[in-house]
Amino acid sequence: DAKTTQPPSMDCAEGRAANLPCNHSTISGNEYVYWYRQIHSQGPQYIIHGLKNNETNEMASLIITEDRKSSTLILPHATLRDTAVYYCIVRVARETSGSRLTFGEGTQLTVNP
Amino acid sequence: KAGVTQTPRYLIKTRGQQVTLSCSPISGHRSVSWYQQTPGQGLQFLFEYFSETQRNKGNFPGRFSGRQFSNSRSEMNVSTLELGDSALYLCASGETDRGYGYTFGSGTRLTVV
């Protein structure tokens, strides 16, 4: 699975958009980008995933660059409850990969009032 | 529907003992995977079970083992506990095996003294 690079920490004002970058310059053509987050003392929570097209769901938007070497997770209107560690994960989605997820160090997002 | 249930929530054991942790996945989910989270190593994949078969294994010593029952409930066992096994043990369940949509439990906090 490709390695990812994320900034260790970011701050965001409540109500503003939070844009979390992730670099995955060695990504392969069949690897997806996944985002999970972990709020303190809880298990990680799936947010969104994508292959090459931009994706949006009720939680967030995922913007993947055309060359797929980087992506940005966007929380459109951050709230205090969005304070968490955000993990960007790249892996192949095939049956033999199973559910294995390789977590890096992630980005600690702090939403300030 | 009910989430992923992990029991017990907290556990204190002595070095050399063994421990068994339990995970009940979301109804209908056949994939159960286990992770260890420590401050120093972060979130690390232990193993995954799918339909009672271990499909994937992380880089952990043989003291760490697991199994899955026909109802998809899973247990992990750690024998001959060491101080370094103190960690948050997380279980995740999924109905697919493509890396997305996995639901994590709140974990079992194991302290080895």
Side-chain angles (χ1 to χ4, degrees):
Chain A
D1 296 337
K3 181 178 169 57
T4 61
T5 303
Q6 298 177 253
S9 64
M10 293 184 65
D11 286 293
C12 176
E14 189 177 19
R16 304 297 293 268
N19 298 285
L20 293 95
C22 180
N23 182 286
H24 31 79
S25 58
T26 60
I27 192 170
S28 301
N30 60 350
E31 289 183 310
Y32 284 70
V33 180
Y34 303 84
W35 284 84
Y36 280 75
R37 73 179 181 182
Q38 186 174 24
I39 296 170
H40 184 62
S41 298
Q42 297 181 23
Q45 176 189 24
Y46 164 77
I47 301 173
I48 199 168
H49 76 286
L51 182 62
K52 53 184 176 181
N53 298 318
N54 297 338
E55 302 287 345
T56 296
N57 63 20
E58 65 278 4
M59 287 183 68
S61 294
L62 174 60
I63 308 297
I64 303 174
T65 58
E66 194 168 338
D67 63 6
R68 305 209 321 121
K69 293 183 185 299
S70 66
S71 61
T72 301
L73 177 74
I74 301 172
L75 307 179
H77 305 287
T79 71
L80 299 179
R81 289 186 293 180
D82 292 322
T83 292
V85 178
Y86 287 77
Y87 297 98
C88 169
I89 299 164
V90 172
R91 54 153 272 172
V92 176
R94 59 169 178 254
E95 191 165 328
T96 53
S97 295
S99 65
R100 181 177 193 149
L101 296 170
T102 301
F103 289 85
E105 301 198 3
T107 296
Q108 171 67 59
L109 174 70
T110 302
V111 180
N112 301 304
Chain B
K1 51 185 176 182
V4 178
T5 303
Q6 291 190 246
T7 56
R9 286 297 310 276
Y10 302 92
L11 205 50
I12 300 176
K13 289 286 190 179
T14 305
R15 270 182 302 175
Q17 287 187 311
Q18 74 164 20
V19 67
T20 299
L21 312 181
S22 177
C23 172
S24 293
I26 290 173
S27 178
H29 286 190
R30 292 184 294 164
S31 169
V32 175
S33 50
W34 290 88
Y35 292 79
Q36 180 196 66
Q37 186 170 29
T38 60
Q41 299 297 319
L43 269 160
Q44 292 187 289
F45 175 81
L46 279 157
F47 33 66
E48 183 222 357
Y49 286 86
F50 188 85
S51 295
E52 301 181 64
T53 301
Q54 186 181 87
R55 185 163 63 174
N56 224 327
K57 191 176 190 305
N59 189 25
F60 278 82
R63 300 185 297 107
F64 292 82
S65 63
R67 60 177 174 169
Q68 186 179 33
F69 302 95
S70 58
N71 62 357
S72 292
R73 189 178 72 85
S74 177
E75 290 181 346
M76 69 162 281
N77 183 277
V78 187
S79 61
T80 319
L81 284 165
E82 302 176 359
L83 295 179
D85 297 333
S86 294
L88 179 66
Y89 290 88
L90 292 157
C91 157
S93 84
E95 56 187 333
T96 72
D97 48 17
R98 303 294 175 100
Y100 61 87
Y102 293 112
T103 301
F104 281 79
S106 297
T108 293
R109 173 76 62 185
L110 172 66
T111 302
V112 182
V113 297

PDB file of all heavy atoms in Angstrom, chain A residues 12-20 56-62 73-79 82:
ATOM      1  N   CYS A  12      -8.766  25.117  12.990  1.00  0.00           N
ATOM      2  CA  CYS A  12      -9.844  25.643  12.168  1.00  0.00           C
ATOM      3  C   CYS A  12     -10.834  26.348  13.088  1.00  0.00           C
ATOM      4  O   CYS A  12     -11.075  25.885  14.214  1.00  0.00           O
ATOM      5  CB  CYS A  12     -10.521  24.497  11.423  1.00  0.00           C
ATOM      6  SG  CYS A  12     -11.942  24.978  10.456  1.00  0.00           S
ATOM      7  N   ALA A  13     -11.405  27.438  12.602  1.00  0.00           N
ATOM      8  CA  ALA A  13     -12.423  28.138  13.375  1.00  0.00           C
ATOM      9  C   ALA A  13     -13.775  27.464  13.181  1.00  0.00           C
ATOM     10  O   ALA A  13     -14.110  27.009  12.071  1.00  0.00           O
ATOM     11  CB  ALA A  13     -12.505  29.605  12.956  1.00  0.00           C
ATOM     12  N   GLU A  14     -14.530  27.393  14.240  1.00  0.00           N
ATOM     13  CA  GLU A  14     -15.855  26.788  14.175  1.00  0.00           C
ATOM     14  C   GLU A  14     -16.708  27.484  13.118  1.00  0.00           C
ATOM     15  O   GLU A  14     -16.714  28.715  13.018  1.00  0.00           O
ATOM     16  CB  GLU A  14     -16.527  26.893  15.544  1.00  0.00           C
ATOM     17  CG  GLU A  14     -17.824  26.114  15.663  1.00  0.00           C
ATOM     18  CD  GLU A  14     -18.413  26.192  17.059  1.00  0.00           C
ATOM     19  OE1 GLU A  14     -18.044  27.108  17.811  1.00  0.00           O
ATOM     20  OE2 GLU A  14     -19.234  25.318  17.393  1.00  0.00           O
ATOM     21  N   GLY A  15     -17.392  26.690  12.312  1.00  0.00           N
ATOM     22  CA  GLY A  15     -18.240  27.225  11.259  1.00  0.00           C
ATOM     23  C   GLY A  15     -17.543  27.421   9.935  1.00  0.00           C
ATOM     24  O   GLY A  15     -18.194  27.573   8.905  1.00  0.00           O
ATOM     25  N   ARG A  16     -16.221  27.404   9.951  1.00  0.00           N
ATOM     26  CA  ARG A  16     -15.471  27.541   8.713  1.00  0.00           C
ATOM     27  C   ARG A  16     -15.178  26.158   8.132  1.00  0.00           C
ATOM     28  O   ARG A  16     -15.312  25.125   8.789  1.00  0.00           O
ATOM     29  CB  ARG A  16     -14.150  28.279   8.976  1.00  0.00           C
ATOM     30  CG  ARG A  16     -14.300  29.628   9.615  1.00  0.00           C
ATOM     31  CD  ARG A  16     -15.060  30.600   8.744  1.00  0.00           C
ATOM     32  NE  ARG A  16     -14.335  30.947   7.534  1.00  0.00           N
ATOM     33  CZ  ARG A  16     -13.516  31.987   7.450  1.00  0.00           C
ATOM     34  NH1 ARG A  16     -13.282  32.770   8.488  1.00  0.00           N
ATOM     35  NH2 ARG A  16     -12.911  32.260   6.306  1.00  0.00           N
ATOM     36  N   ALA A  17     -14.766  26.148   6.879  1.00  0.00           N
ATOM     37  CA  ALA A  17     -14.400  24.881   6.241  1.00  0.00           C
ATOM     38  C   ALA A  17     -13.019  24.437   6.724  1.00  0.00           C
ATOM     39  O   ALA A  17     -12.102  25.248   6.847  1.00  0.00           O
ATOM     40  CB  ALA A  17     -14.395  25.037   4.727  1.00  0.00           C
ATOM     41  N   ALA A  18     -12.903  23.166   6.987  1.00  0.00           N
ATOM     42  CA  ALA A  18     -11.609  22.585   7.336  1.00  0.00           C
ATOM     43  C   ALA A  18     -11.120  21.799   6.128  1.00  0.00           C
ATOM     44  O   ALA A  18     -11.849  20.938   5.610  1.00  0.00           O
ATOM     45  CB  ALA A  18     -11.738  21.671   8.544  1.00  0.00           C
ATOM     46  N   ASN A  19      -9.929  22.122   5.669  1.00  0.00           N
ATOM     47  CA  ASN A  19      -9.346  21.451   4.505  1.00  0.00           C
ATOM     48  C   ASN A  19      -8.111  20.679   4.939  1.00  0.00           C
ATOM     49  O   ASN A  19      -7.080  21.264   5.275  1.00  0.00           O
ATOM     50  CB  ASN A  19      -8.960  22.480   3.434  1.00  0.00           C
ATOM     51  CG  ASN A  19     -10.148  23.246   2.916  1.00  0.00           C
ATOM     52  OD1 ASN A  19     -10.952  22.724   2.149  1.00  0.00           O
ATOM     53  ND2 ASN A  19     -10.280  24.490   3.338  1.00  0.00           N
ATOM     54  N   LEU A  20      -8.202  19.369   4.938  1.00  0.00           N
ATOM     55  CA  LEU A  20      -7.099  18.529   5.409  1.00  0.00           C
ATOM     56  C   LEU A  20      -6.397  17.890   4.216  1.00  0.00           C
ATOM     57  O   LEU A  20      -6.989  17.089   3.500  1.00  0.00           O
ATOM     58  CB  LEU A  20      -7.608  17.455   6.361  1.00  0.00           C
ATOM     59  CG  LEU A  20      -8.152  17.982   7.696  1.00  0.00           C
ATOM     60  CD1 LEU A  20      -9.644  18.158   7.657  1.00  0.00           C
ATOM     61  CD2 LEU A  20      -7.758  17.032   8.819  1.00  0.00           C
ATOM     62  N   THR A  56     -18.570  13.144  -2.428  1.00  0.00           N
ATOM     63  CA  THR A  56     -19.208  13.901  -1.358  1.00  0.00           C
ATOM     64  C   THR A  56     -20.237  13.027  -0.672  1.00  0.00           C
ATOM     65  O   THR A  56     -20.951  12.272  -1.333  1.00  0.00           O
ATOM     66  CB  THR A  56     -19.908  15.165  -1.912  1.00  0.00           C
ATOM     67  OG1 THR A  56     -18.927  16.031  -2.473  1.00  0.00           O
ATOM     68  CG2 THR A  56     -20.648  15.919  -0.813  1.00  0.00           C
ATOM     69  N   ASN A  57     -20.280  13.116   0.640  1.00  0.00           N
ATOM     70  CA  ASN A  57     -21.353  12.476   1.391  1.00  0.00           C
ATOM     71  C   ASN A  57     -21.811  13.441   2.477  1.00  0.00           C
ATOM     72  O   ASN A  57     -21.423  14.612   2.484  1.00  0.00           O
ATOM     73  CB  ASN A  57     -20.930  11.112   1.938  1.00  0.00           C
ATOM     74  CG  ASN A  57     -19.787  11.193   2.937  1.00  0.00           C
ATOM     75  OD1 ASN A  57     -19.531  12.248   3.520  1.00  0.00           O
ATOM     76  ND2 ASN A  57     -19.103  10.086   3.109  1.00  0.00           N
ATOM     77  N   GLU A  58     -22.615  12.946   3.370  1.00  0.00           N
ATOM     78  CA  GLU A  58     -23.199  13.834   4.386  1.00  0.00           C
ATOM     79  C   GLU A  58     -22.167  14.350   5.376  1.00  0.00           C
ATOM     80  O   GLU A  58     -22.414  15.317   6.077  1.00  0.00           O
ATOM     81  CB  GLU A  58     -24.324  13.104   5.131  1.00  0.00           C
ATOM     82  CG  GLU A  58     -23.889  11.913   5.959  1.00  0.00           C
ATOM     83  CD  GLU A  58     -23.715  10.646   5.130  1.00  0.00           C
ATOM     84  OE1 GLU A  58     -23.868  10.699   3.894  1.00  0.00           O
ATOM     85  OE2 GLU A  58     -23.404   9.593   5.742  1.00  0.00           O
ATOM     86  N   MET A  59     -21.025  13.730   5.436  1.00  0.00           N
ATOM     87  CA  MET A  59     -20.006  14.143   6.392  1.00  0.00           C
ATOM     88  C   MET A  59     -18.986  15.088   5.772  1.00  0.00           C
ATOM     89  O   MET A  59     -18.534  16.041   6.425  1.00  0.00           O
ATOM     90  CB  MET A  59     -19.253  12.938   6.952  1.00  0.00           C
ATOM     91  CG  MET A  59     -20.049  12.091   7.928  1.00  0.00           C
ATOM     92  SD  MET A  59     -19.045  10.749   8.591  1.00  0.00           S
ATOM     93  CE  MET A  59     -17.873  11.658   9.581  1.00  0.00           C
ATOM     94  N   ALA A  60     -18.563  14.796   4.529  1.00  0.00           N
ATOM     95  CA  ALA A  60     -17.415  15.522   3.991  1.00  0.00           C
ATOM     96  C   ALA A  60     -17.356  15.397   2.477  1.00  0.00           C
ATOM     97  O   ALA A  60     -18.136  14.657   1.868  1.00  0.00           O
ATOM     98  CB  ALA A  60     -16.131  14.960   4.608  1.00  0.00           C
ATOM     99  N   SER A  61     -16.399  16.131   1.912  1.00  0.00           N
ATOM    100  CA  SER A  61     -16.079  16.005   0.489  1.00  0.00           C
ATOM    101  C   SER A  61     -14.624  15.585   0.358  1.00  0.00           C
ATOM    102  O   SER A  61     -13.783  15.975   1.188  1.00  0.00           O
ATOM    103  CB  SER A  61     -16.300  17.330  -0.250  1.00  0.00           C
ATOM    104  OG  SER A  61     -17.651  17.684  -0.258  1.00  0.00           O
ATOM    105  N   LEU A  62     -14.357  14.812  -0.680  1.00  0.00           N
ATOM    106  CA  LEU A  62     -12.997  14.361  -0.960  1.00  0.00           C
ATOM    107  C   LEU A  62     -12.625  14.846  -2.348  1.00  0.00           C
ATOM    108  O   LEU A  62     -13.313  14.511  -3.323  1.00  0.00           O
ATOM    109  CB  LEU A  62     -12.908  12.837  -0.884  1.00  0.00           C
ATOM    110  CG  LEU A  62     -11.588  12.196  -1.298  1.00  0.00           C
ATOM    111  CD1 LEU A  62     -10.442  12.687  -0.411  1.00  0.00           C
ATOM    112  CD2 LEU A  62     -11.682  10.674  -1.224  1.00  0.00           C
ATOM    113  N   LEU A  73      -9.399  16.423   2.160  1.00  0.00           N
ATOM    114  CA  LEU A  73     -10.680  16.157   2.809  1.00  0.00           C
ATOM    115  C   LEU A  73     -11.236  17.496   3.256  1.00  0.00           C
ATOM    116  O   LEU A  73     -10.531  18.277   3.904  1.00  0.00           O
ATOM    117  CB  LEU A  73     -10.500  15.241   4.022  1.00  0.00           C
ATOM    118  CG  LEU A  73     -11.771  14.962   4.817  1.00  0.00           C
ATOM    119  CD1 LEU A  73     -12.653  13.981   4.035  1.00  0.00           C
ATOM    120  CD2 LEU A  73     -11.447  14.397   6.194  1.00  0.00           C
ATOM    121  N   ILE A  74     -12.480  17.762   2.911  1.00  0.00           N
ATOM    122  CA  ILE A  74     -13.101  19.029   3.269  1.00  0.00           C
ATOM    123  C   ILE A  74     -14.296  18.792   4.184  1.00  0.00           C
ATOM    124  O   ILE A  74     -15.233  18.055   3.825  1.00  0.00           O
ATOM    125  CB  ILE A  74     -13.564  19.797   2.015  1.00  0.00           C
ATOM    126  CG1 ILE A  74     -12.377  20.069   1.094  1.00  0.00           C
ATOM    127  CG2 ILE A  74     -14.243  21.110   2.413  1.00  0.00           C
ATOM    128  CD1 ILE A  74     -12.746  20.652  -0.248  1.00  0.00           C
ATOM    129  N   LEU A  75     -14.239  19.405   5.360  1.00  0.00           N
ATOM    130  CA  LEU A  75     -15.392  19.442   6.251  1.00  0.00           C
ATOM    131  C   LEU A  75     -15.989  20.827   6.059  1.00  0.00           C
ATOM    132  O   LEU A  75     -15.382  21.816   6.472  1.00  0.00           O
ATOM    133  CB  LEU A  75     -14.962  19.231   7.700  1.00  0.00           C
ATOM    134  CG  LEU A  75     -14.114  17.997   8.004  1.00  0.00           C
ATOM    135  CD1 LEU A  75     -13.746  17.957   9.480  1.00  0.00           C
ATOM    136  CD2 LEU A  75     -14.851  16.733   7.608  1.00  0.00           C
ATOM    137  N   PRO A  76     -17.131  20.947   5.422  1.00  0.00           N
ATOM    138  CA  PRO A  76     -17.617  22.263   4.966  1.00  0.00           C
ATOM    139  C   PRO A  76     -17.905  23.269   6.079  1.00  0.00           C
ATOM    140  O   PRO A  76     -17.649  24.452   5.913  1.00  0.00           O
ATOM    141  CB  PRO A  76     -18.864  21.931   4.165  1.00  0.00           C
ATOM    142  CG  PRO A  76     -19.264  20.565   4.600  1.00  0.00           C
ATOM    143  CD  PRO A  76     -18.027  19.862   5.028  1.00  0.00           C
ATOM    144  N   HIS A  77     -18.417  22.810   7.186  1.00  0.00           N
ATOM    145  CA  HIS A  77     -18.749  23.712   8.291  1.00  0.00           C
ATOM    146  C   HIS A  77     -18.323  23.029   9.593  1.00  0.00           C
ATOM    147  O   HIS A  77     -19.114  22.345  10.227  1.00  0.00           O
ATOM    148  CB  HIS A  77     -20.243  24.029   8.320  1.00  0.00           C
ATOM    149  CG  HIS A  77     -20.777  24.582   7.035  1.00  0.00           C
ATOM    150  ND1 HIS A  77     -20.511  25.851   6.596  1.00  0.00           N
ATOM    151  CD2 HIS A  77     -21.544  23.994   6.074  1.00  0.00           C
ATOM    152  CE1 HIS A  77     -21.100  26.051   5.423  1.00  0.00           C
ATOM    153  NE2 HIS A  77     -21.723  24.943   5.084  1.00  0.00           N
ATOM    154  N   ALA A  78     -17.073  23.198   9.933  1.00  0.00           N
ATOM    155  CA  ALA A  78     -16.525  22.464  11.073  1.00  0.00           C
ATOM    156  C   ALA A  78     -17.195  22.871  12.382  1.00  0.00           C
ATOM    157  O   ALA A  78     -17.509  24.049  12.612  1.00  0.00           O
ATOM    158  CB  ALA A  78     -15.021  22.706  11.173  1.00  0.00           C
ATOM    159  N   THR A  79     -17.429  21.886  13.223  1.00  0.00           N
ATOM    160  CA  THR A  79     -17.967  22.127  14.560  1.00  0.00           C
ATOM    161  C   THR A  79     -16.954  21.625  15.585  1.00  0.00           C
ATOM    162  O   THR A  79     -16.005  20.916  15.239  1.00  0.00           O
ATOM    163  CB  THR A  79     -19.299  21.399  14.776  1.00  0.00           C
ATOM    164  OG1 THR A  79     -19.044  19.996  14.863  1.00  0.00           O
ATOM    165  CG2 THR A  79     -20.272  21.667  13.646  1.00  0.00           C
ATOM    166  N   ASP A  82     -15.948  18.067  15.579  1.00  0.00           N
ATOM    167  CA  ASP A  82     -15.064  17.553  14.524  1.00  0.00           C
ATOM    168  C   ASP A  82     -13.608  17.512  14.976  1.00  0.00           C
ATOM    169  O   ASP A  82     -12.742  17.064  14.214  1.00  0.00           O
ATOM    170  CB  ASP A  82     -15.196  18.408  13.269  1.00  0.00           C
ATOM    171  CG  ASP A  82     -16.559  18.256  12.599  1.00  0.00           C
ATOM    172  OD1 ASP A  82     -17.074  17.123  12.580  1.00  0.00           O
ATOM    173  OD2 ASP A  82     -17.093  19.269  12.112  1.00  0.00           O
TER     174      ASP A  82
END
